[in-house]
């Protein structure tokens, strides 16, 4: 305790005063620097800030499904631009992420809730079933931790110091290591059939039935539980937007079930439909609706026609854009009736 | 646990907080626990080697005071060096032997690649100096096993020094030092300087150095020069940054480590350079190798031989490989040359000639140091030779094209091989940061005479640099591998 007494003798008090002045000066300078020269932002956040300035009425959380275009498509527009045509009175903006992740969408929505999005009426959140599989959910590159922190703390004093906290690894930007990812169990329904490393080396280019079967199991045939973190993020998104009087439009992305049934008859469709139902039930239990398009399209509406996927060609994208527009029109009518 | 990580800062500040609260007589226990935890966070099994060394030298110090003290001294020093050889040099010696006799190592299935325990070279040198000082009677042997262990294991310095003498840190552990606010402020100042050097400059320049030196044969001319210059500053910022963090961490507790660097790149001779670079190591070699060999109190050829032996050993201490041996030899030759052609011997006369002579002396010393760093950084001797022989290729056309502004210079510098590994704005940041560091060190040398506004502004710039420009990707400290 003597150290403590020494620390606060009269000489130290003078030094403490000087230090406090130094820290205040430092803080003011740092806040100024962050506002004038925003630090190294990922492109996605930079784009988001541009969108925020444009005051859209509809925001679409996109991923590769939204933007994938088949070389033979006559109409090469991504889904959100097709939707823009269907909703001429709205301004549709797409917040695009390299890979689908409701966790990062939740961070965007939290930021939206604190920002000046005065015109925003609808937020469209696709639900991509493949991304709930361990293959996607646990992949280290698809965690977007940096983006989550930057969005979540933009309006706090901590924001100015985030770069430093990243640098000294006070914030873990890699919550899942490559090693733990490769050891993640893979399930066929409820039965474990291996770990990620057993499935990672199957190439798209090897067109064998065994390869497709493995891929189908790896990507789609897990058994979805209601506690899944991505599902919880979707529910959080709905509640946050509801509090701000913004309608959320959930839709489950179509999957090429026709091709899936050829590889895993009586198994593929059953598991995918069950997983989709789990999502629909959980979200509807919270008082929100989901547009379930999981089995709405046949194989000819998909981008790849050799193996199961959820990437759409022009036909598929037009269909989805129309369905979303219908849903938004329904919301609009309902709210007008309520008024 | 890297010294620039949040985990380390948390450990350090927790230790400071606990040390303030508990009675002084228990502080060594806290520091020892923290130091052991810190060391175990790397490779736990090598902690056993450290325990073995501590026991060996603690009881060795006791035995040195008894009968046959000289024999015991040499025996225990021999054991220390034996441990160092087993872990650091055995594979090198065997592979060199096999190479001499033209035998493929795979034929003998030699598996001698033991991983070097962290900080072993530094710890063993510190322990040898303890034994030597006890033997000479300049200090009494340490009777407190805990304090002795702490003097060896103290977390900030165990990885890469400074190599503390027993008269320094070990003696300070017996003095009652209260943690005061001025100590804490001094600790933060050193920590900030270390973080700036390491995270803003060294880690950033390290990308250029690693990219080019990974496969130097993909480059010719200017990129090789840029990478070598980058390494010159990376090494200084990395190692002196480490020392600043270590000294700053010790300062929080009121302990003062020896100064390890004193603006080495302003030296005007190689001899002066070694009075400014890794001072704790160069003085160690001076006191325990060079002087026992006779120092300069012998014939001139023998004196030069003593210098060469000291520097050859210094080269070998730094790294395992013939490039390090050659590097040490060249520096030995450089020191001898500095003695023979010291600028003060012939720089007499008017002021202008003096200034010109000093500039020449500085430039030639800097060039010598930079060129010899190639041996230090290259992965092997043939890579080093490649850099030596290809760095000047195309310089003429480079200088010619510099004024044409048609993009060819940019392509030549930035688009060779894998490029320089860093976007040009990052290189710009590194250059600006180096400039800021130079200004800081310029004023630091005359701190007491510097206006308070300049001092505060410099520290604010330094801390702002750390907060905003730290390189996110962690790179280990270079000297940790030694």
């Amino acid at each position: 305790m003597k150290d403590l007494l020494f620390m606060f003798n009269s000489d130290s008090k003078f030094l403490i005063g000087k230090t406090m002045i130094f820290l205040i000066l430092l803080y003011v300078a740092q806040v100024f620097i962050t506002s004038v020269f925003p630090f190294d932002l990922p492109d996605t956040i930079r784009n988001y800030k541009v969108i925020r300035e444009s005051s859209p009425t509809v925001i679409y959380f996109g991923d590769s499904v939204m933007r994938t275009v088949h070389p033979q498509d006559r109409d090469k527009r991504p889904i959100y631009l097709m939707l823009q045509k269907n909703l001429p009175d709205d301004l549709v903006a797409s917040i695009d992420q390299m890979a689908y992740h409701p966790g990062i969408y939740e961070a965007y929505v939290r930021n939206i809730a604190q920002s000046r999005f005065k015109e925003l009426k609808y937020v469209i959140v696709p639900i991509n079933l493949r991304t709930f599989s361990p293959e996607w959910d646990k992949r280290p590159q698809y965690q977007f931790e940096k983006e989550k922190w930057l969005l979540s703390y933009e309006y706090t004093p901590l924001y100015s110091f985030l770069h430093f906290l990243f640098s000294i690894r006070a914030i873990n930007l890699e919550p899942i290591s490559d090693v733990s990812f490769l050891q993640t169990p893979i399930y066929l329904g409820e039965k474990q059939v291996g770990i990620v490393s057993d499935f990672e080396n199957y190439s798209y280019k090897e067109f064998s039935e065994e390869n497709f079967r493995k891929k189908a199991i790896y990507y789609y045939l897990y058994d979805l539980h209601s506690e899944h973190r991505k599902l919880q993020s979707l529910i959080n998104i709905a509640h946050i937007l509801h509090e701000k009087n913004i309608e959320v439009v959930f839709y489950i992305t179509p999957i090429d079930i026709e091709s899936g049934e050829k590889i895993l008859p009586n198994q593929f469709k059953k598991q995918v439909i069950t997983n989709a139902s789990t999502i629909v039930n959980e979200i509807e239990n919270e008082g929100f609706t989901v547009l379930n398009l999981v089995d709405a399209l046949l194989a000819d509406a998909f981008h790849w026609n050799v193996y199961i996927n959820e990437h759409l060609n022009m036909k598929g994208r037009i269909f989805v854009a129309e369905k979303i527009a219908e849903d938004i029109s329904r919301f609009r009518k309902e709210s007008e009736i309520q008024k | 646990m890297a010294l620039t990580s949040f985990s380390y800062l948390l450990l350090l500040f927790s230790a400071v907080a606990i040390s303030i609260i508990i009675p002084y007589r228990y502080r060594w226990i806290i520091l020892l626990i923290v130091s052991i935890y810190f060391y175990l966070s790397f490779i736990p099994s090598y902690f056993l080697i450290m325990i073995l060394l501590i026991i060996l030298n603690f009881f060795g110090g006791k035995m040195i005071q008894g009968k046959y003290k000289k024999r015991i001294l040499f025996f225990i020093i021999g054991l220390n060096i034996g441990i160092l050889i087993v872990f650091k040099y055995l594979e090198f010696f065997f592979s060199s032997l096999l190479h001499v006799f033209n035998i493929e190592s795979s034929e003998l299935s030699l598996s001698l690649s033991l991983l070097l325990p962290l900080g072993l070279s530094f710890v063993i040198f510190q322990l040898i100096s303890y034994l030597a000082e006890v033997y000479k009677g300049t200090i009494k042997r340490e009777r407190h096993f805990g304090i002795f262990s702490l003097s060896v294991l103290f977390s900030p310095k165990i990885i890469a020094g400074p190599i503390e003498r027993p008269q320094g840190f070990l003696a300070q552990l017996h003095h009652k030092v209260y943690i005061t606010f001025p100590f804490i402020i001094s600790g933060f100042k050193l920590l900030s300087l270390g973080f700036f050097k390491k995270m803003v400059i060294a880690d950033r320049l390290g990308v250029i150095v690693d990219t080019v030196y990974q496969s130097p044969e993909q480059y010719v001319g200017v990129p090789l020069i840029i990478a070598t210059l980058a390494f010159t500053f990376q090494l200084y910022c990395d190692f002196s940054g480490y020392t600043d963090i270590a000294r700053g961490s010790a300062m929080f507790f009121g302990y003062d480590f020896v100064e390890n660097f004193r603006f080495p790149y302003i030296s005007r001779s190689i001899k002066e350079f070694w009075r400014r670079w890794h001072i704790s190591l160069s003085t160690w070699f001076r006191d325990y190798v060079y002087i026992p060999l006779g120092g300069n109190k012998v014939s001139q050829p023998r004196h030069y031989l003593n210098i060469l032996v000291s520097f050859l050993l210094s080269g070998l201490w730094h790294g395992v490989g013939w490039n390090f041996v050659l590097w040490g030899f060249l520096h030995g030759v450089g020191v001898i040359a500095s003695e023979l052609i010291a600028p003060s011997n012939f720089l007499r006369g008017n002021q202008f000639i003096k200034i010109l002579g000093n500039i020449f002396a500085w430039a030639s010393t800097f060039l010598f140091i930079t060129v010899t760093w190639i041996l230090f950084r290259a992965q092997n001797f043939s890579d080093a030779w490649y850099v030596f022989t290809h760095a000047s290729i195309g310089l003429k056309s480079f200088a010619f094209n510099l004024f044409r502004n048609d993009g060819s210079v940019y392509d030549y510098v930035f688009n060779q091989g894998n490029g320089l590994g860093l976007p040009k704005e990052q290189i710009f940041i590194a250059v600006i940061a180096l400039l800021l560091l130079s200004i800081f060190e310029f004023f630091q040398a005359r701190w007491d005479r510097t206006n308070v506004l300049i001092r505060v502004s410099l520290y604010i710039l330094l801390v702002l640099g750390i907060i905003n420009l730290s390189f996110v990707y962690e790179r280990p400290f270079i000297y940790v591998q030694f």
Side-chain angles (χ1 to χ4, degrees):
Chain A
M1 288 303 273
K2 269 188 183 171
D3 294 63
L4 210 56
L5 295 174
F6 264 86
M7 281 192 62
F8 296 105
N9 61 24
S10 56
D11 290 346
S12 298
K13 277 177 191 163
F14 182 60
L15 202 55
I16 291 169
K18 285 205 294 189
T19 309
M20 293 307 289
I21 293 170
F22 176 83
L23 290 176
I24 291 166
L25 282 174
L26 185 69
Y27 181 75
V28 171
Q30 177 56 19
V31 170
F32 174 75
I33 285 178
T34 317
S35 59
V36 179
F37 309 105
F39 57 79
D40 195 20
L41 289 174
D43 287 344
T44 45
I45 305 279
R46 216 179 282 275
N47 292 339
Y48 165 70
K49 290 195 170 184
V50 174
I51 287 168
R52 198 161 62 182
E53 295 304 311
S54 68
S55 297
T57 53
V58 179
I59 281 181
Y60 190 117
F61 284 119
D63 68 341
S64 61
V65 174
M66 184 199 67
R67 58 177 182 263
T68 302
V69 173
H70 195 276
Q72 288 171 0
D73 287 348
R74 276 175 289 109
D75 187 344
K76 295 192 189 305
R77 287 175 303 168
I79 295 174
Y80 88 97
L81 286 181
M82 291 179 163
L83 187 64
Q84 177 68 81
K85 196 185 172 191
N86 295 338
L87 300 169
D89 298 332
D90 286 294
L91 179 60
V92 183
S94 156
I95 294 176
D96 214 2
Q97 207 61 34
M98 178 189 87
Y100 181 90
H101 192 331
I104 179 71
Y105 300 151
E106 184 185 339
Y108 277 116
V109 164
R110 285 188 191 283
N111 190 286
I112 286 168
Q114 296 173 62
S115 308
R116 299 178 299 275
F117 273 91
K118 285 177 189 151
E119 309 295 325
L120 188 61
K121 299 282 184 294
Y122 304 97
V123 170
I124 301 160
V125 184
I127 301 172
N128 183 343
L129 274 180
R130 180 183 155 188
T131 68
F132 288 70
S133 68
E135 176 267 333
W136 195 289
D137 187 45
K138 304 286 182 199
R139 193 173 286 277
Q141 299 91 315
Y142 296 169
Q143 303 307 314
F144 307 111
E145 287 301 312
K146 187 175 180 181
E147 287 88 340
K148 283 183 204 167
W149 279 88
L150 289 169
L151 289 165
S152 305
Y153 290 89
E154 188 183 351
Y155 299 105
T156 68
L158 191 69
Y159 185 72
S160 301
F161 300 92
L162 278 180
H163 177 80
F164 177 62
L165 295 175
F166 295 151
S167 308
I168 60 166
R169 292 164 298 286
I171 295 168
N172 185 8
L173 294 181
E174 290 159 2
I176 300 173
S177 69
D178 286 335
V179 176
S180 70
F181 169 62
L182 291 172
Q183 287 166 351
T184 307
I186 296 298
Y187 293 90
L188 171 56
E190 288 182 347
K191 185 186 163 202
Q192 189 179 337
V193 288
I195 56 174
V196 165
S197 60
D198 301 330
F199 289 81
E200 266 297 279
N201 296 327
Y202 283 88
S203 165
Y204 285 110
K205 289 168 189 164
E206 292 165 20
F207 293 151
S208 70
E209 199 166 310
E210 175 59 13
N211 190 0
F212 290 160
R213 209 181 75 86
K214 284 247 181 188
K215 283 275 180 203
I217 293 168
Y218 191 30
Y219 290 174
Y220 304 102
L221 294 194
Y222 57 91
D223 190 33
L224 182 64
H225 294 276
S226 56
E227 308 83 53
H228 197 290
R229 63 176 182 150
K230 281 192 160 64
L231 184 47
Q232 291 309 314
S233 287
L234 292 172
I235 291 167
N236 293 341
I237 287 170
H239 284 297
I240 295 163
L241 291 173
H242 183 69
E243 275 178 28
K244 291 283 165 186
N245 291 323
I246 299 168
E247 292 288 353
V248 59
V249 180
F250 287 122
Y251 78 91
I252 299 181
T253 308
I255 291 174
D256 184 359
I257 289 178
E258 190 183 351
S259 302
E261 275 296 291
K262 285 180 192 160
I263 296 162
L264 289 153
N266 306 321
Q267 214 173 354
F268 188 86
K269 184 173 183 177
K270 190 181 164 196
Q271 187 63 60
V272 170
I273 298 282
T274 306
N275 289 344
S277 304
T278 304
I279 291 173
V280 172
N281 292 339
E282 287 298 317
I283 292 177
E284 285 185 348
N285 284 345
E286 298 289 326
F288 303 97
T289 57
V290 182
L291 184 60
N292 188 354
L293 303 178
V294 73
D295 57 348
L297 291 171
L298 294 174
D300 65 346
F302 291 88
H303 183 85
W304 311 99
N305 48 19
V306 281
Y307 62 83
I308 316 158
N309 71 116
E310 57 281 308
H311 288 153
L312 302 165
N313 59 21
M314 185 183 81
K315 183 180 174 186
R317 292 198 308 280
I318 289 173
F319 173 80
V320 169
E322 280 172 359
K323 287 289 171 191
I324 297 168
E326 281 171 19
D327 221 32
I328 288 180
S329 302
R330 182 177 59 82
F331 275 124
R332 199 161 266 158
K333 275 178 197 160
E334 281 174 9
S335 78
E336 277 167 12
I337 291 166
Q338 278 175 6
K339 278 177 189 171
Chain B
M1 187 188 295
L3 253 62
T4 49
S5 68
F6 177 71
S7 327
Y8 175 74
L9 293 177
L10 196 65
L11 189 72
L12 174 68
F13 296 140
S14 309
V16 173
I18 296 170
S19 299
I20 289 171
I21 295 164
I22 59 161
Y24 179 81
R25 62 181 178 280
Y26 300 126
R27 189 194 291 176
W28 71 269
I29 301 173
I30 297 299
L31 294 184
L32 188 60
I33 292 170
V34 165
S35 300
I36 291 171
Y37 176 79
F38 177 76
Y39 196 80
L40 290 175
S41 73
F42 295 97
I43 300 174
S45 55
Y46 280 131
F47 184 59
L48 296 174
I49 311 283
M50 288 295 153
I51 292 178
L52 176 75
L53 282 170
I54 289 167
I55 293 172
L56 173 72
N57 288 280
F58 180 75
F59 291 104
K62 190 178 176 184
M63 286 192 285
I64 280 171
Q65 292 188 323
K67 256 184 173 182
Y68 312 116
K69 51 197 263 183
K70 196 166 186 176
R71 282 184 204 173
I72 293 169
L73 172 75
F74 280 109
F75 178 69
I76 297 169
I77 288 178
L79 282 178
N80 278 309
I81 291 173
I83 291 172
L84 189 61
I85 287 173
V86 167
F87 282 97
K88 194 167 176 179
Y89 301 108
L90 203 58
E91 194 193 8
F92 169 62
F93 287 147
F94 268 94
S95 58
S96 297
L97 270 178
L98 293 173
H99 187 71
V100 168
F101 292 108
N102 210 10
I103 302 167
E104 287 286 320
S105 61
S106 57
E107 288 173 27
L108 293 175
S109 313
L110 270 175
S111 178
L112 297 162
S113 51
L114 290 166
L115 208 59
L116 179 69
L118 209 63
L120 188 70
S121 315
F122 292 90
V123 165
I124 285 182
F125 269 38
Q126 185 193 321
L127 290 170
I128 289 174
S129 83
Y130 166 74
L131 294 172
E133 297 303 324
V134 171
Y135 171 78
K136 285 195 281 187
T138 43
I139 58 155
K140 285 184 180 165
R141 77 167 182 92
E142 177 56 53
R143 289 170 186 278
H144 194 304
F145 185 72
I147 296 281
F148 183 76
S149 306
L150 177 61
S151 76
V152 176
L153 292 170
F154 190 51
S155 57
K157 70 168 183 59
I158 190 168
I159 310 176
I163 302 166
E164 279 289 325
R165 302 299 177 82
Q167 300 95 320
F169 182 53
L170 183 58
Q172 286 179 52
L173 286 174
H174 284 288
H175 299 152
K176 208 167 190 175
V177 189
Y178 290 114
I179 297 172
T180 62
F181 206 71
F183 281 144
I184 291 178
I185 295 294
S186 302
F188 270 118
K189 283 178 178 174
L190 281 166
L191 227 54
S192 311
L193 187 57
F195 269 62
F196 185 84
K197 285 177 179 172
K198 170 67 178 159
M199 296 178 76
V200 181
I201 303 175
D203 286 353
R204 196 167 258 116
L205 291 177
V207 178
I208 302 176
V209 177
D210 290 354
T211 306
V212 174
Y213 272 85
Q214 203 93 51
S215 42
E217 67 286 349
Q218 292 184 21
Y219 301 87
V220 285
V222 177
L224 293 173
I225 294 173
I226 289 176
T228 306
L229 269 174
F231 180 65
T232 301
F233 293 106
Q234 182 205 1
L235 187 63
Y236 169 65
C237 291
D238 192 281
F239 192 21
S240 71
Y242 173 89
T243 308
D244 290 333
I245 296 171
R247 291 184 69 210
S249 305
M251 189 58 82
F252 281 107
F253 302 95
Y255 303 128
D256 196 5
F257 284 169
V258 290
E259 200 180 7
N260 225 5
F261 294 89
R262 213 175 293 139
F263 321 116
Y265 291 146
I266 63 164
S267 306
R268 286 169 300 160
S269 70
I270 302 301
K271 194 174 177 180
E272 186 187 350
F273 173 74
W274 281 104
R275 282 201 295 260
R276 294 172 174 277
W277 178 274
H278 203 177
I279 299 164
S280 65
L281 180 76
S282 50
T283 51
W284 191 97
F285 273 105
R286 182 196 65 200
D287 293 347
Y288 303 115
V289 179
Y290 174 72
I291 291 174
L293 285 173
N296 59 0
K297 307 243 181 310
V298 285
S299 65
Q300 206 168 43
R302 179 68 196 276
H303 164 54
Y304 293 148
L305 184 69
N306 292 344
I307 292 173
L308 276 183
V309 169
S310 304
F311 275 94
L312 279 172
L313 289 174
S314 167
L316 206 54
W317 180 90
H318 276 91
V320 185
W322 291 108
N323 44 335
F324 285 102
V325 177
L326 180 62
W327 173 79
F329 174 78
L330 287 174
H331 272 265
V333 171
V335 170
I336 293 168
S338 324
E339 290 204 353
L340 290 171
I341 47 168
S344 55
N345 291 349
F346 52 88
L347 282 183
R348 296 189 184 98
N350 72 34
Q351 198 66 17
F352 179 70
I353 292 180
K354 260 187 187 170
I355 292 170
L356 217 61
N358 278 330
I359 290 172
F360 177 76
W362 168 79
S364 53
T365 304
F366 185 75
L367 184 68
F368 179 89
I369 293 162
T370 305
V371 170
T372 48
W373 282 144
I374 295 172
L375 286 162
F376 205 85
R377 177 57 184 85
Q379 293 182 69
N380 50 50
F381 196 77
S382 61
D383 275 5
W385 183 246
Y386 177 87
V387 178
F388 273 130
T389 50
H390 290 74
S392 59
I393 291 176
L395 282 185
K396 254 187 204 168
S397 63
F398 172 78
F400 178 73
N401 287 333
L402 207 56
F403 300 100
R404 285 174 47 189
N405 198 24
D406 61 352
S408 57
V409 164
Y410 184 86
D411 274 352
Y412 178 67
V413 175
F414 290 96
N415 295 339
Q416 266 192 59
N418 300 318
L420 291 179
L422 262 191
K424 60 181 177 200
E425 57 271 24
Q426 290 288 334
I427 296 175
F428 179 71
I429 290 173
V431 172
I432 295 292
L434 260 175
L435 207 65
L436 175 62
L437 180 68
S438 311
I439 295 168
F440 186 90
E441 292 198 332
F442 172 81
F443 282 108
Q444 203 186 19
R446 42 190 74 73
W447 221 218
D448 295 336
R449 286 171 283 149
T450 306
N451 183 294
V452 67
L453 271 179
I454 296 176
R455 278 190 282 171
V456 171
S457 308
L458 283 172
Y459 268 111
I460 286 184
L461 283 175
L462 204 70
V463 179
L464 288 177
I466 299 166
I467 294 172
N468 295 290
L469 302 174
S470 287
F471 208 58
V472 176
Y473 304 102
E474 182 193 353
R475 306 176 87 77
F477 284 96
I478 295 171
Y479 260 69
V480 167
Q481 62 186 299
F482 303 140

